[in-house]
Amino acid sequence: MPELLRNTMVLPTFLKVYRFYLDGFKRMTVGRTLWKIIFIKLLVMFAVLKLFFFPNFLQTNFSTDEQRADHVIQQLTGSEQNK
Amino acid sequence: MGEIDLATVNWARAQFILTAMYHWLFVPITLGLSFLCAFFESMYVRTGKEEWKHLTKFWMTLFGINFAIGVATGIILEFEFGTNWSNYSWMVGDIFGAPLAIEGIFAFFLEATFFAVMFFGWERTSKGFHLFSTWMVAIGSNLSALWILVANGWMQYPVGMAFNPENARFEMQNFWEVLFSPVAIAKFTHTTSSSFVVGALFVITISSYYLLKGRHVDMAKKSIIVASVFGLLSSLFAAFTGDESAYANAYTQPMKLAAYEGLFTGSKGADLVALGLLTSGKKVGDGQDPFAFEVSIPRGLSLMAKRDVNAFVPGIEDLVYGNEAEGIMSVAEKMEKGKAAIADLAAMKQAGKAGDEPAKTAALERFLVNQDYLGFGYLDTPEESVPPVATTYYSFHTMVYLGTFFILLTLLYLYYSYKDTLEDKKWLLMLGVSSFFLALFASEMGWVVAEVGRQPWAIQDMLPVKMASTNIGAGHVQASFAIFFVLFTTLLIAEIKIMLRQIKIGPEGV
């Protein structure tokens, strides 16, 4: 299929999908409030909670999987030699 | 073992309970109401009548509100795994990776495509494609739940895996065994069917309120008929899947079964306590009668647990102290084997670090002999293997009573709808208004039975909760607990306010 023809088919499809979402968002009533709640919630969850309160303990404190495994085994066995 | 800070473990536990129970307020409504929306819209497409369309749009709006407020509340549980439960998340990463990744992909595609068509596409897509999208949202939401429940089912019955002592990880050996384990199947079918009941009673509650107020009567009656049929069939199916869960528990988690049945001493032809009050202060092995009062169904428990009225069902004391005649090993013996496994795991690691291969191989061989009892090695006393019996027992019985009540309630709604006298039955409508809250409560009780009943284990027999946690200090967890409490309570208030406003406006407002 010639490239020009392919582009003219893909572009209207893309535009159709874009307009579908755009119109949908524009026509929202209660949805506007809900989206605001979703954004605030995600912001609190990822920008505050995840960042300041929920670091991944093993990812933050150890740099390799071998170190992480050793730490967990040390926790499980209480064996200081394995550190 | 290293020092275990029980304050941290308990705060991490409390935080998980808080987030899981809040999350679970939103999920069953989504699972149940999505199918009801699909039924309502199917009626619209079949009949072509506009009132079904209005009705569908109204319930779809309430579905959307619940979905939007509840969406991503489950992600917080994943945050907690990485921070508070790092040992656990490291050990199960290989098992949970596949189901949770599939769940994420499912949720993304579902929400980005069919969900948008469902809400934005009423005037812009064909009736058939819109209906297809609504069904896809319902099926997709429930399949999304499947993967989470498969992961949870694996914790209750760890199959299809092998523990790798080199890196302390449970590694998946057979995906299909994990997916189709009897516990995962029972968990999925029971959880989704009971969520359908919650969804159906959500519709019945709001519709009953409208009938009591004399508003939107036609819509309310139509909604009630569909929701009652769905609620009745789902309640019956939930009873059936609940029975299957108990049957699975008898073989995979006999301690949980004994706890929720209040069975301290096992017997052949064991009775099923239909109604009973546990003796206050009853302890394992103290010789006291477990029940201050009881009404039992003769041999009912043996029939339920083993499908044989004469079969032996082990009680809590048989499982703790052992029962040679029935081939049950005592917890004390399992603890010895578990401690040996831990010592061999330590010896293996030490030999590995020292480069002593023969010693490492010998330690590994010894470890493999006892590895199935690994978790028992962390218990301080045999009695620690017993879950909180009263909490498990009362939660289970409350759930069963409410489940039975919902069967009766939906039958009555159908009967009076058929007679066309439902509007006159104010007492029934009042009961109906309360039914959704009772259903949510029953659903939460089901979660308590599943999770409290399997204590002390994070992974059944392999890892107790106290060894699964991260030693990060109670203060840190307390702070995030408070933030969660405020965040979730705010979200819940927001949901209730928006939902009530929409219910007050009624179907004209959508």
Side-chain angles (χ1 to χ4, degrees), chain B residues 309-436:
Chain B
V309 289
N310 296 314
F312 178 81
V313 181
I316 293 169
E317 286 163 3
D318 301 287
L319 295 163
V320 173
Y321 304 120
N323 183 327
E324 218 176 312
E326 296 296 333
I328 299 169
M329 190 190 291
S330 71
V331 172
E333 201 178 333
K334 289 179 183 175
M335 283 169 66
E336 265 180 48
K337 289 173 180 285
K339 287 185 196 308
I342 294 165
D344 291 329
L345 184 62
M348 200 192 103
K349 200 69 192 172
Q350 199 177 346
K353 294 270 177 196
D356 185 349
E357 280 304 314
K360 185 180 170 185
T361 308
L364 174 62
E365 279 171 11
R366 292 196 305 273
F367 173 79
L368 292 175
V369 172
N370 292 315
Q371 66 166 342
D372 289 348
Y373 303 97
L374 179 71
F376 288 93
Y378 300 108
L379 302 184
D380 296 322
T381 63
E383 288 78 11
E384 202 185 329
S385 65
V386 181
V389 177
T391 309
T392 314
Y393 170 84
Y394 288 117
S395 302
F396 174 75
H397 283 78
T398 305
M399 177 187 71
V400 171
Y401 299 147
L402 285 172
T404 311
F405 166 71
F406 300 146
I407 293 175
L408 194 67
L409 185 79
T410 45
L411 268 173
L412 285 171
Y413 263 86
L414 279 175
Y415 175 73
Y416 289 117
S417 293
Y418 174 73
K419 289 266 185 187
D420 203 15
T421 56
L422 188 60
E423 285 167 87
D424 308 329
K425 302 288 178 281
K426 304 289 180 205
W427 60 272
L428 183 61
L429 294 174
M430 295 287 276
L431 265 182
V433 168
S434 68
S435 65
F436 163 65

Side-chain angles (χ1 to χ4, degrees), chain B residues 48-68:
Chain B
K49 290 182 177 169
E50 283 296 304
E51 60 252 40
W52 281 107
K53 184 179 176 183
H54 286 305
L55 182 156
T56 307
K57 285 178 107 173
F58 172 69
W59 293 114
M60 218 173 251
T61 304
L62 299 189
F63 168 79
I65 294 168
N66 179 69
F67 189 92

Side-chain angles (χ1 to χ4, degrees), chain B residues 59-82:
Chain B
W59 293 114
M60 218 173 251
T61 304
L62 299 189
F63 168 79
I65 294 168
N66 179 69
F67 189 92
I69 306 281
V71 74
T73 49
I75 289 175
I76 288 176
L77 297 170
E78 289 184 34
F79 291 175
E80 288 174 37
F81 283 138

Side-chain angles (χ1 to χ4, degrees), chain B residues 12 16 20 36 146:
Chain B
F16 202 86
L36 278 158
L146 167 72

Side-chain angles (χ1 to χ4, degrees), chain A residues 16 19-30 33-35 37-38 40-42 44-46 48-59 64-66 68-83, chain B residues 1-2 15 61 64-65 68-72 75-76 79-80 82-84 86-87 90-91 112-113 116-117 120-121 124-125 165-168 342 345-346 349-350 353 378 463 467 470 472 476 479-480 483-484 487 491 494 498 502:
Chain A
K16 269 184 189 172
R19 282 188 188 137
F20 176 84
Y21 276 88
L22 188 71
D23 286 355
F25 281 116
K26 275 184 180 170
R27 287 180 192 184
M28 284 190 311
T29 49
V30 67
T33 314
L34 296 174
W35 274 108
I37 292 174
I38 291 172
I40 293 169
K41 179 171 59 176
L42 291 177
V44 171
M45 278 169 58
F46 285 96
V48 180
L49 289 172
K50 179 68 183 160
L51 212 59
F52 298 107
F53 291 93
F54 287 94
N56 186 305
F57 180 80
L58 294 176
Q59 291 292 338
T64 66
D65 274 356
E66 196 185 348
R68 291 176 194 118
D70 282 351
H71 170 76
V72 174
I73 290 176
Q74 188 265 319
Q75 293 283 304
L76 294 177
T77 59
S79 163
E80 293 298 312
Q81 296 93 318
N82 295 327
K83 270 183 176 174
Chain B
M1 273 2 77
Q15 189 178 72
T61 304
I65 294 168
I69 306 281
V71 74
I75 289 175
I76 288 176
F79 291 175
E80 288 174 37
T83 306
N84 299 344
S86 61
N87 291 347
W90 171 261
M91 293 171 81
T113 52
V117 175
F120 298 162
R124 311 199 57 172
T125 57
E166 291 279 356
N167 59 11
I342 294 165
L345 184 62
K349 200 69 192 172
Q350 199 177 346
K353 294 270 177 196
Y378 300 108
L463 185 75
M467 292 308 298
T470 315
I472 51 171
H476 183 95
S480 50
I483 293 171
F484 277 161
L487 177 70
L491 286 175
I498 299 170
Q502 207 60 40

